[in-house]
Amino acid sequence: MELGRSGLRAVLTDAAIGLSTSLVVTVAIAMDLGGARSPDFLAYLFAVCLGALMFVRRHFPVLALVATASGLLSYYAAGYPAIGLALPVAAALYSAAEAGKLLISAVTGAALIAVSTFFRLREGESLAYLLGFELASTVGLMFAAIALGAAVRATRLLRAEQLRTARQAEAEREAEARRRVQDERLRIARDLHDVIGHTIALVAVQADVAEEALDDDPETVRAALKTIRSAGEEAIHELRGTLGLLRSPGEPEDRAPTGTLRNLDSLLAATGESGLAVELRTEGEPVPLPAVVDTTAYRIVQEALTNTLRHAEASRAEVELRYERGGLGIRVTDDGRGVGGFGGPAREGGGQAADPGGGSGFGIEGMRERAALLGGRVDVAGAPERGGFVVDAWLPVEVGRQ
């Protein structure tokens, strides 16, 4: 429908220009201002043909201009009454300039003026009249026609560029929105992995403890079940917070973190109840951290301890937080089996990596991705001199002087 309206508008515009051209030339012919021949059918047919050329000006602007100029010269060569020079060719000059043929328009106009002036001087007309009076008006009208065509073209191109820029900006906004949605989905997936993974690890360890003590030590069984229940309630709380994001219309940045370093004592206590003694050491003066850094630090510690519980067969672990001027350092070590030497099999946690310098597995990759989003890093390595495994992270942030 839009193309039909645009095409109809173009046809009506060309018809209006063509009709105007024919009327102007017809009036000039009818005035019969001199000439060797009186106006006849061929003279008026010339006026109609000039107007008809406007219907091909969009697709063949140069052809329309050349045909107009050639027809005008032929008209004068036939001795018909004078109709001027600029008026009959103005529409063709405008059309060529509108199509971007500025040089051809200027050359054609100059050629018409030169040829017309030469023949009129040869016929004895006054040089002072031609150059002093008529030339100025002819050149001015031709220049105005060419300038108008160029201005219309420039306006059209400007509008097209504005439309293209607006569409590109809209496409970029849509791409950015899709990217942010994808990033948020990835953040939620990491949160779910961390929460579920840690809880399952605690439940599995406590279930083993309860099974072994079922017949001989009811108190131990109760303690294990209590830990399982506490871990489950904590997991439910965090899962509700995380899944609630899927229903929230707010921006991802506005959401409250589901785990922060304020919850670290609870995390370490729950881990300790699973049989892994965890010591927390803090260097520097703890200061408030940006929410995203706080959450990322908590998740890195949680994932490292989860991997130790699952794979390391460790009896103790140590979590070290270093509040430094340029950011926060995190180091989690255990006394487990490590990687069994460089190039050991791929495992997570205290077998958390394929090798000391690399590391693989969804948990480690998640830690690295979290840190990388903040411009930080996570390194995993074995500790061959004393056994065990090391997770070393750095999260850059200006936390003040220590």
Side-chain angles (χ1 to χ4, degrees), residues 250-317:
E251 292 294 326
E253 289 79 0
D254 297 335
R255 69 182 180 92
T258 56
T260 71
L261 292 180
R262 291 190 299 272
N263 309 125
L264 194 56
D265 289 339
S266 298
L267 174 67
L268 300 186
T271 304
E273 291 174 357
S274 298
L276 177 66
V278 184
E279 178 185 354
L280 174 64
R281 292 200 305 114
T282 302
E283 294 184 6
E285 180 182 353
V287 296
L289 298 172
V292 65
V293 177
D294 198 3
T295 302
T296 299
Y298 176 85
R299 292 304 187 197
I300 289 174
V301 174
Q302 182 184 52
E303 181 60 30
L305 293 178
T306 298
N307 287 335
T308 298
L309 281 172
R310 283 178 173 175
H311 310 291
E313 299 180 1
S315 61
R316 62 182 304 276

Short mmCIF file of all heavy atoms in Angstrom, two decimals, residues 250-317:
data_model
loop_
_atom_site.label_atom_id
_atom_site.label_comp_id
_atom_site.label_asym_id
_atom_site.label_seq_id
_atom_site.Cartn_x
_atom_site.Cartn_y
_atom_site.Cartn_z
N GLY A 250 11.65 -5.38 36.42
CA GLY A 250 12.71 -4.40 36.61
C GLY A 250 13.95 -4.73 35.81
O GLY A 250 14.09 -5.78 35.20
N GLU A 251 14.87 -3.75 35.79
CA GLU A 251 16.13 -3.95 35.11
C GLU A 251 16.99 -4.93 35.88
O GLU A 251 16.92 -5.00 37.12
CB GLU A 251 16.88 -2.61 35.00
CG GLU A 251 16.20 -1.62 34.07
CD GLU A 251 16.21 -2.08 32.63
OE1 GLU A 251 17.18 -2.74 32.24
OE2 GLU A 251 15.24 -1.81 31.92
N PRO A 252 17.84 -5.73 35.17
CA PRO A 252 18.69 -6.69 35.85
C PRO A 252 19.57 -6.05 36.91
O PRO A 252 19.84 -6.63 37.95
CB PRO A 252 19.53 -7.28 34.71
CG PRO A 252 18.70 -7.09 33.49
CD PRO A 252 17.95 -5.82 33.71
N GLU A 253 20.02 -4.81 36.65
CA GLU A 253 20.93 -4.18 37.60
C GLU A 253 20.22 -3.80 38.90
O GLU A 253 20.85 -3.51 39.91
CB GLU A 253 21.54 -2.92 36.97
CG GLU A 253 22.55 -3.20 35.88
CD GLU A 253 21.89 -3.55 34.56
OE1 GLU A 253 20.64 -3.56 34.50
OE2 GLU A 253 22.61 -3.83 33.60
N ASP A 254 18.87 -3.73 38.87
CA ASP A 254 18.14 -3.30 40.05
C ASP A 254 17.88 -4.44 41.03
O ASP A 254 17.38 -4.21 42.12
CB ASP A 254 16.78 -2.70 39.62
CG ASP A 254 16.97 -1.46 38.77
OD1 ASP A 254 18.03 -0.83 38.91
OD2 ASP A 254 16.07 -1.13 37.99
N ARG A 255 18.17 -5.67 40.62
CA ARG A 255 17.80 -6.79 41.47
C ARG A 255 18.75 -6.90 42.67
O ARG A 255 19.93 -6.55 42.60
CB ARG A 255 17.82 -8.09 40.68
CG ARG A 255 19.20 -8.57 40.25
CD ARG A 255 19.05 -9.84 39.43
NE ARG A 255 20.32 -10.37 38.98
CZ ARG A 255 21.02 -11.27 39.64
NH1 ARG A 255 20.59 -11.69 40.82
NH2 ARG A 255 22.15 -11.74 39.17
N ALA A 256 18.23 -7.38 43.75
CA ALA A 256 19.05 -7.58 44.94
C ALA A 256 19.86 -8.85 44.79
O ALA A 256 19.39 -9.83 44.24
CB ALA A 256 18.14 -7.69 46.17
N PRO A 257 21.10 -8.85 45.23
CA PRO A 257 21.91 -10.06 45.12
C PRO A 257 21.35 -11.16 45.99
O PRO A 257 20.81 -10.93 47.05
CB PRO A 257 23.30 -9.60 45.60
CG PRO A 257 23.02 -8.40 46.45
CD PRO A 257 21.83 -7.73 45.86
N THR A 258 21.51 -12.41 45.53
CA THR A 258 20.99 -13.55 46.28
C THR A 258 22.02 -14.14 47.21
O THR A 258 21.72 -15.07 47.96
CB THR A 258 20.51 -14.64 45.30
OG1 THR A 258 21.60 -14.99 44.43
CG2 THR A 258 19.37 -14.13 44.45
N GLY A 259 23.23 -13.67 47.20
CA GLY A 259 24.26 -14.14 48.12
C GLY A 259 25.37 -13.12 48.21
O GLY A 259 25.82 -12.61 47.19
N THR A 260 25.77 -12.75 49.42
CA THR A 260 26.82 -11.75 49.59
C THR A 260 27.78 -12.23 50.67
O THR A 260 27.53 -13.23 51.36
CB THR A 260 26.23 -10.39 50.01
OG1 THR A 260 25.77 -10.48 51.36
CG2 THR A 260 25.07 -9.99 49.11
N LEU A 261 28.87 -11.50 50.85
CA LEU A 261 29.84 -11.87 51.87
C LEU A 261 29.26 -11.75 53.27
O LEU A 261 29.82 -12.31 54.22
CB LEU A 261 31.09 -10.98 51.74
CG LEU A 261 31.93 -11.20 50.47
CD1 LEU A 261 33.12 -10.26 50.47
CD2 LEU A 261 32.38 -12.65 50.36
N ARG A 262 28.13 -11.05 53.42
CA ARG A 262 27.47 -11.01 54.74
C ARG A 262 26.95 -12.40 55.13
O ARG A 262 26.75 -12.68 56.32
CB ARG A 262 26.31 -10.02 54.71
CG ARG A 262 26.74 -8.56 54.61
CD ARG A 262 25.57 -7.63 54.83
NE ARG A 262 24.52 -7.83 53.84
CZ ARG A 262 24.49 -7.21 52.66
NH1 ARG A 262 25.46 -6.37 52.33
NH2 ARG A 262 23.50 -7.44 51.83
N ASN A 263 26.72 -13.25 54.12
CA ASN A 263 26.25 -14.61 54.39
C ASN A 263 27.39 -15.61 54.49
O ASN A 263 27.15 -16.81 54.57
CB ASN A 263 25.30 -15.06 53.27
CG ASN A 263 24.20 -14.06 53.00
OD1 ASN A 263 24.01 -13.62 51.88
ND2 ASN A 263 23.47 -13.69 54.04
N LEU A 264 28.64 -15.11 54.48
CA LEU A 264 29.77 -16.02 54.43
C LEU A 264 29.88 -16.88 55.70
O LEU A 264 30.20 -18.07 55.61
CB LEU A 264 31.07 -15.23 54.22
CG LEU A 264 32.30 -16.03 53.81
CD1 LEU A 264 32.03 -16.84 52.55
CD2 LEU A 264 33.49 -15.10 53.60
N ASP A 265 29.59 -16.30 56.85
CA ASP A 265 29.67 -17.09 58.09
C ASP A 265 28.70 -18.27 58.04
O ASP A 265 29.05 -19.39 58.46
CB ASP A 265 29.37 -16.20 59.29
CG ASP A 265 30.48 -15.21 59.57
OD1 ASP A 265 31.61 -15.47 59.11
OD2 ASP A 265 30.23 -14.18 60.23
N SER A 266 27.49 -18.06 57.54
CA SER A 266 26.52 -19.15 57.44
C SER A 266 27.02 -20.21 56.47
O SER A 266 26.88 -21.42 56.70
CB SER A 266 25.17 -18.61 56.98
OG SER A 266 24.65 -17.69 57.92
N LEU A 267 27.61 -19.77 55.37
CA LEU A 267 28.14 -20.72 54.40
C LEU A 267 29.25 -21.57 55.00
O LEU A 267 29.27 -22.80 54.85
CB LEU A 267 28.66 -19.96 53.16
CG LEU A 267 29.38 -20.79 52.11
CD1 LEU A 267 28.42 -21.76 51.43
CD2 LEU A 267 30.04 -19.88 51.07
N LEU A 268 30.16 -20.93 55.72
CA LEU A 268 31.28 -21.66 56.32
C LEU A 268 30.79 -22.59 57.43
O LEU A 268 31.30 -23.70 57.60
CB LEU A 268 32.33 -20.69 56.86
CG LEU A 268 32.96 -19.73 55.84
CD1 LEU A 268 34.08 -18.92 56.49
CD2 LEU A 268 33.48 -20.47 54.62
N ALA A 269 29.79 -22.14 58.19
CA ALA A 269 29.25 -22.99 59.24
C ALA A 269 28.60 -24.24 58.66
O ALA A 269 28.80 -25.36 59.16
CB ALA A 269 28.24 -22.21 60.08
N ALA A 270 27.81 -24.06 57.61
CA ALA A 270 27.16 -25.20 56.97
C ALA A 270 28.19 -26.15 56.38
O ALA A 270 28.07 -27.38 56.45
CB ALA A 270 26.19 -24.72 55.89
N THR A 271 29.26 -25.58 55.81
CA THR A 271 30.31 -26.42 55.26
C THR A 271 31.03 -27.18 56.36
O THR A 271 31.36 -28.36 56.23
CB THR A 271 31.32 -25.56 54.46
OG1 THR A 271 30.62 -24.82 53.46
CG2 THR A 271 32.37 -26.42 53.81
N GLY A 272 31.28 -26.50 57.50
CA GLY A 272 31.93 -27.16 58.63
C GLY A 272 31.11 -28.29 59.18
O GLY A 272 31.65 -29.33 59.60
N GLU A 273 29.78 -28.14 59.20
CA GLU A 273 28.92 -29.21 59.68
C GLU A 273 28.93 -30.42 58.78
O GLU A 273 28.51 -31.51 59.18
CB GLU A 273 27.49 -28.68 59.84
CG GLU A 273 27.33 -27.67 60.96
CD GLU A 273 25.95 -27.06 61.00
OE1 GLU A 273 25.14 -27.40 60.11
OE2 GLU A 273 25.67 -26.24 61.90
N SER A 274 29.43 -30.24 57.57
CA SER A 274 29.53 -31.36 56.63
C SER A 274 30.84 -32.11 56.77
O SER A 274 31.13 -33.02 55.99
CB SER A 274 29.37 -30.85 55.20
OG SER A 274 28.10 -30.28 55.01
N GLY A 275 31.66 -31.70 57.73
CA GLY A 275 32.90 -32.42 57.98
C GLY A 275 34.14 -31.77 57.43
O GLY A 275 35.25 -32.27 57.60
N LEU A 276 33.98 -30.64 56.75
CA LEU A 276 35.13 -29.93 56.22
C LEU A 276 35.37 -28.70 57.08
O LEU A 276 34.60 -27.75 57.05
CB LEU A 276 34.88 -29.52 54.76
CG LEU A 276 36.00 -28.70 54.09
CD1 LEU A 276 37.27 -29.55 53.94
CD2 LEU A 276 35.54 -28.17 52.74
N ALA A 277 36.43 -28.74 57.86
CA ALA A 277 36.76 -27.60 58.72
C ALA A 277 37.25 -26.45 57.85
O ALA A 277 38.17 -26.61 57.06
CB ALA A 277 37.83 -28.00 59.73
N VAL A 278 36.63 -25.30 58.02
CA VAL A 278 36.98 -24.14 57.20
C VAL A 278 37.41 -23.00 58.10
O VAL A 278 36.72 -22.64 59.05
CB VAL A 278 35.79 -23.70 56.32
CG1 VAL A 278 36.22 -22.55 55.40
CG2 VAL A 278 35.26 -24.85 55.50
N GLU A 279 38.57 -22.44 57.78
CA GLU A 279 39.09 -21.29 58.51
C GLU A 279 39.00 -20.06 57.63
O GLU A 279 39.36 -20.10 56.44
CB GLU A 279 40.53 -21.54 58.93
CG GLU A 279 41.15 -20.36 59.67
CD GLU A 279 42.63 -20.58 59.97
OE1 GLU A 279 43.12 -21.70 59.71
OE2 GLU A 279 43.29 -19.63 60.44
N LEU A 280 38.54 -18.96 58.19
CA LEU A 280 38.43 -17.70 57.44
C LEU A 280 39.48 -16.74 57.95
O LEU A 280 39.59 -16.49 59.15
CB LEU A 280 37.03 -17.09 57.62
CG LEU A 280 36.83 -15.70 57.02
CD1 LEU A 280 36.98 -15.73 55.50
CD2 LEU A 280 35.45 -15.14 57.40
N ARG A 281 40.26 -16.21 57.03
CA ARG A 281 41.25 -15.19 57.38
C ARG A 281 40.96 -13.94 56.55
O ARG A 281 40.68 -14.03 55.36
CB ARG A 281 42.67 -15.68 57.09
CG ARG A 281 43.10 -16.81 58.02
CD ARG A 281 44.61 -16.97 58.08
NE ARG A 281 45.21 -17.13 56.77
CZ ARG A 281 46.03 -16.25 56.19
NH1 ARG A 281 46.34 -15.11 56.81
NH2 ARG A 281 46.55 -16.49 55.01
N THR A 282 41.07 -12.80 57.20
CA THR A 282 40.81 -11.53 56.52
C THR A 282 42.02 -10.62 56.69
O THR A 282 42.49 -10.42 57.81
CB THR A 282 39.56 -10.83 57.09
OG1 THR A 282 38.43 -11.70 56.94
CG2 THR A 282 39.28 -9.53 56.35
N GLU A 283 42.50 -10.10 55.57
CA GLU A 283 43.60 -9.14 55.60
C GLU A 283 43.08 -7.79 55.14
O GLU A 283 42.30 -7.70 54.20
CB GLU A 283 44.73 -9.61 54.69
CG GLU A 283 45.41 -10.88 55.14
CD GLU A 283 46.58 -11.25 54.24
OE1 GLU A 283 46.91 -10.43 53.34
OE2 GLU A 283 47.17 -12.33 54.43
N GLY A 284 43.54 -6.75 55.81
CA GLY A 284 43.06 -5.42 55.49
C GLY A 284 41.75 -5.14 56.22
O GLY A 284 41.18 -6.00 56.90
N GLU A 285 41.28 -3.93 56.08
CA GLU A 285 40.05 -3.52 56.76
C GLU A 285 38.85 -3.75 55.85
O GLU A 285 38.76 -3.15 54.76
CB GLU A 285 40.13 -2.04 57.13
CG GLU A 285 38.88 -1.53 57.85
CD GLU A 285 38.98 -0.06 58.16
OE1 GLU A 285 40.06 0.53 57.93
OE2 GLU A 285 37.97 0.51 58.61
N PRO A 286 37.92 -4.62 56.25
CA PRO A 286 36.73 -4.85 55.42
C PRO A 286 35.94 -3.56 55.22
O PRO A 286 35.72 -2.80 56.16
CB PRO A 286 35.92 -5.87 56.21
CG PRO A 286 36.93 -6.54 57.10
CD PRO A 286 37.93 -5.49 57.44
N VAL A 287 35.55 -3.31 53.99
CA VAL A 287 34.78 -2.12 53.64
C VAL A 287 33.61 -2.55 52.78
O VAL A 287 33.62 -3.63 52.18
CB VAL A 287 35.65 -1.09 52.89
CG1 VAL A 287 36.77 -0.57 53.76
CG2 VAL A 287 36.21 -1.70 51.61
N PRO A 288 32.56 -1.73 52.71
CA PRO A 288 31.43 -2.06 51.84
C PRO A 288 31.89 -2.17 50.38
O PRO A 288 32.67 -1.35 49.89
CB PRO A 288 30.47 -0.88 52.04
CG PRO A 288 30.83 -0.30 53.36
CD PRO A 288 32.32 -0.49 53.49
N LEU A 289 31.41 -3.18 49.71
CA LEU A 289 31.75 -3.41 48.31
C LEU A 289 30.54 -3.16 47.43
O LEU A 289 29.40 -3.30 47.88
CB LEU A 289 32.22 -4.86 48.11
CG LEU A 289 33.47 -5.30 48.86
CD1 LEU A 289 33.66 -6.80 48.71
CD2 LEU A 289 34.70 -4.55 48.35
N PRO A 290 30.76 -2.80 46.17
CA PRO A 290 29.63 -2.75 45.24
C PRO A 290 28.90 -4.09 45.21
O PRO A 290 29.52 -5.15 45.35
CB PRO A 290 30.31 -2.45 43.89
CG PRO A 290 31.59 -1.77 44.25
CD PRO A 290 32.02 -2.40 45.54
N ALA A 291 27.58 -4.05 45.04
CA ALA A 291 26.77 -5.26 45.15
C ALA A 291 27.24 -6.36 44.21
O ALA A 291 27.31 -7.53 44.59
CB ALA A 291 25.30 -4.92 44.87
N VAL A 292 27.59 -6.00 42.98
CA VAL A 292 27.97 -7.03 42.02
C VAL A 292 29.29 -7.68 42.42
O VAL A 292 29.49 -8.88 42.24
CB VAL A 292 28.05 -6.42 40.60
CG1 VAL A 292 29.16 -5.39 40.49
CG2 VAL A 292 28.23 -7.52 39.55
N VAL A 293 30.22 -6.90 43.00
CA VAL A 293 31.49 -7.46 43.47
C VAL A 293 31.25 -8.35 44.68
O VAL A 293 31.81 -9.45 44.81
CB VAL A 293 32.49 -6.33 43.79
CG1 VAL A 293 33.79 -6.91 44.36
CG2 VAL A 293 32.78 -5.50 42.55
N ASP A 294 30.40 -7.88 45.58
CA ASP A 294 30.07 -8.63 46.79
C ASP A 294 29.48 -9.99 46.43
O ASP A 294 29.89 -11.04 46.95
CB ASP A 294 29.07 -7.81 47.62
CG ASP A 294 29.01 -8.29 49.07
OD1 ASP A 294 29.78 -9.20 49.42
OD2 ASP A 294 28.20 -7.75 49.83
N THR A 295 28.51 -10.00 45.52
CA THR A 295 27.87 -11.25 45.12
C THR A 295 28.86 -12.17 44.42
O THR A 295 28.88 -13.39 44.66
CB THR A 295 26.69 -10.96 44.18
OG1 THR A 295 25.77 -10.10 44.86
CG2 THR A 295 25.98 -12.24 43.78
N THR A 296 29.67 -11.61 43.53
CA THR A 296 30.64 -12.42 42.79
C THR A 296 31.64 -13.07 43.75
O THR A 296 31.98 -14.25 43.61
CB THR A 296 31.38 -11.56 41.75
OG1 THR A 296 30.42 -11.03 40.83
CG2 THR A 296 32.41 -12.38 40.99
N ALA A 297 32.11 -12.31 44.73
CA ALA A 297 33.06 -12.86 45.70
C ALA A 297 32.43 -14.02 46.47
O ALA A 297 33.06 -15.08 46.68
CB ALA A 297 33.52 -11.76 46.66
N TYR A 298 31.19 -13.84 46.90
CA TYR A 298 30.51 -14.90 47.64
C TYR A 298 30.37 -16.16 46.78
O TYR A 298 30.61 -17.28 47.25
CB TYR A 298 29.13 -14.40 48.07
CG TYR A 298 28.30 -15.45 48.77
CD1 TYR A 298 28.43 -15.68 50.14
CD2 TYR A 298 27.37 -16.21 48.07
CE1 TYR A 298 27.66 -16.63 50.79
CE2 TYR A 298 26.60 -17.17 48.70
CZ TYR A 298 26.75 -17.39 50.06
OH TYR A 298 26.00 -18.34 50.68
N ARG A 299 29.98 -15.98 45.51
CA ARG A 299 29.78 -17.14 44.64
C ARG A 299 31.09 -17.88 44.37
O ARG A 299 31.12 -19.10 44.24
CB ARG A 299 29.14 -16.71 43.32
CG ARG A 299 27.72 -16.21 43.45
CD ARG A 299 26.83 -17.24 44.10
NE ARG A 299 25.43 -16.83 44.09
CZ ARG A 299 24.49 -17.36 44.84
NH1 ARG A 299 24.81 -18.32 45.70
NH2 ARG A 299 23.25 -16.95 44.77
N ILE A 300 32.18 -17.14 44.25
CA ILE A 300 33.48 -17.79 44.02
C ILE A 300 33.85 -18.65 45.22
O ILE A 300 34.28 -19.81 45.08
CB ILE A 300 34.56 -16.73 43.73
CG1 ILE A 300 34.32 -16.10 42.35
CG2 ILE A 300 35.96 -17.35 43.81
CD1 ILE A 300 35.25 -14.96 42.03
N VAL A 301 33.70 -18.11 46.43
CA VAL A 301 33.99 -18.90 47.63
C VAL A 301 33.06 -20.10 47.71
O VAL A 301 33.48 -21.23 48.00
CB VAL A 301 33.85 -18.02 48.90
CG1 VAL A 301 34.00 -18.88 50.15
CG2 VAL A 301 34.89 -16.90 48.89
N GLN A 302 31.78 -19.89 47.46
CA GLN A 302 30.80 -20.98 47.54
C GLN A 302 31.14 -22.09 46.55
O GLN A 302 31.13 -23.28 46.90
CB GLN A 302 29.40 -20.42 47.24
CG GLN A 302 28.29 -21.47 47.36
CD GLN A 302 26.95 -20.91 46.96
OE1 GLN A 302 26.81 -20.33 45.88
NE2 GLN A 302 25.96 -21.06 47.83
N GLU A 303 31.47 -21.73 45.32
CA GLU A 303 31.77 -22.75 44.31
C GLU A 303 33.06 -23.50 44.65
O GLU A 303 33.16 -24.71 44.48
CB GLU A 303 31.88 -22.10 42.93
CG GLU A 303 32.17 -23.08 41.80
CD GLU A 303 31.09 -24.13 41.65
OE1 GLU A 303 29.92 -23.85 41.96
OE2 GLU A 303 31.43 -25.25 41.21
N ALA A 304 34.06 -22.76 45.13
CA ALA A 304 35.31 -23.41 45.49
C ALA A 304 35.11 -24.42 46.63
O ALA A 304 35.62 -25.56 46.57
CB ALA A 304 36.35 -22.37 45.90
N LEU A 305 34.34 -24.05 47.66
CA LEU A 305 34.08 -24.97 48.76
C LEU A 305 33.20 -26.14 48.32
O LEU A 305 33.38 -27.27 48.79
CB LEU A 305 33.42 -24.22 49.92
CG LEU A 305 34.29 -23.18 50.63
CD1 LEU A 305 33.50 -22.47 51.72
CD2 LEU A 305 35.55 -23.83 51.21
N THR A 306 32.27 -25.87 47.43
CA THR A 306 31.42 -26.96 46.91
C THR A 306 32.26 -28.00 46.18
O THR A 306 32.10 -29.21 46.37
CB THR A 306 30.35 -26.39 45.97
OG1 THR A 306 29.51 -25.48 46.68
CG2 THR A 306 29.48 -27.49 45.38
N ASN A 307 33.18 -27.52 45.36
CA ASN A 307 34.05 -28.45 44.63
C ASN A 307 34.95 -29.23 45.58
O ASN A 307 35.24 -30.41 45.37
CB ASN A 307 34.90 -27.68 43.61
CG ASN A 307 34.06 -27.22 42.43
OD1 ASN A 307 33.02 -27.80 42.13
ND2 ASN A 307 34.49 -26.15 41.78
N THR A 308 35.40 -28.56 46.66
CA THR A 308 36.22 -29.26 47.66
C THR A 308 35.42 -30.37 48.34
O THR A 308 35.90 -31.50 48.51
CB THR A 308 36.74 -28.26 48.71
OG1 THR A 308 37.57 -27.29 48.06
CG2 THR A 308 37.56 -28.98 49.77
N LEU A 309 34.18 -30.07 48.69
CA LEU A 309 33.33 -31.08 49.31
C LEU A 309 33.09 -32.26 48.37
O LEU A 309 33.08 -33.42 48.77
CB LEU A 309 31.98 -30.47 49.71
CG LEU A 309 31.94 -29.64 51.00
CD1 LEU A 309 30.59 -28.96 51.14
CD2 LEU A 309 32.20 -30.54 52.21
N ARG A 310 32.89 -31.97 47.13
CA ARG A 310 32.54 -33.02 46.17
C ARG A 310 33.71 -33.91 45.80
O ARG A 310 33.57 -35.12 45.68
CB ARG A 310 31.99 -32.38 44.89
CG ARG A 310 30.57 -31.87 44.96
CD ARG A 310 30.22 -31.24 43.63
NE ARG A 310 28.82 -30.87 43.55
CZ ARG A 310 28.29 -30.22 42.52
NH1 ARG A 310 29.06 -29.87 41.51
NH2 ARG A 310 27.01 -29.93 42.52
N HIS A 311 34.85 -33.29 45.59
CA HIS A 311 35.91 -34.00 44.89
C HIS A 311 37.25 -34.12 45.62
O HIS A 311 38.06 -34.97 45.27
CB HIS A 311 36.19 -33.32 43.53
CG HIS A 311 34.97 -33.07 42.71
ND1 HIS A 311 34.24 -34.07 42.14
CD2 HIS A 311 34.34 -31.91 42.38
CE1 HIS A 311 33.21 -33.57 41.47
NE2 HIS A 311 33.23 -32.25 41.61
N ALA A 312 37.48 -33.24 46.61
CA ALA A 312 38.86 -33.14 47.10
C ALA A 312 39.23 -34.19 48.13
O ALA A 312 40.41 -34.46 48.34
CB ALA A 312 39.08 -31.74 47.71
N GLU A 313 38.23 -34.76 48.82
CA GLU A 313 38.52 -35.66 49.93
C GLU A 313 39.42 -34.96 50.95
O GLU A 313 40.38 -35.52 51.47
CB GLU A 313 39.17 -36.95 49.44
CG GLU A 313 38.27 -37.76 48.50
CD GLU A 313 38.93 -39.03 48.03
OE1 GLU A 313 40.09 -39.28 48.46
OE2 GLU A 313 38.32 -39.76 47.24
N ALA A 314 39.09 -33.67 51.19
CA ALA A 314 39.90 -32.85 52.10
C ALA A 314 39.28 -32.86 53.50
O ALA A 314 38.10 -33.11 53.69
CB ALA A 314 39.98 -31.42 51.57
N SER A 315 40.13 -32.57 54.49
CA SER A 315 39.66 -32.48 55.87
C SER A 315 39.55 -31.04 56.35
O SER A 315 38.84 -30.74 57.30
CB SER A 315 40.61 -33.24 56.79
OG SER A 315 41.92 -32.67 56.73
N ARG A 316 40.25 -30.14 55.67
CA ARG A 316 40.19 -28.75 56.08
C ARG A 316 40.41 -27.86 54.85
O ARG A 316 40.99 -28.28 53.85
CB ARG A 316 41.22 -28.41 57.16
CG ARG A 316 42.66 -28.60 56.76
CD ARG A 316 43.61 -28.28 57.91
NE ARG A 316 43.41 -26.95 58.43
CZ ARG A 316 43.98 -25.87 57.89
NH1 ARG A 316 44.77 -25.98 56.84
NH2 ARG A 316 43.75 -24.69 58.42
N ALA A 317 39.91 -26.65 54.96
CA ALA A 317 40.08 -25.66 53.90
C ALA A 317 40.27 -24.30 54.55
O ALA A 317 39.95 -24.10 55.72
CB ALA A 317 38.87 -25.64 52.97
#
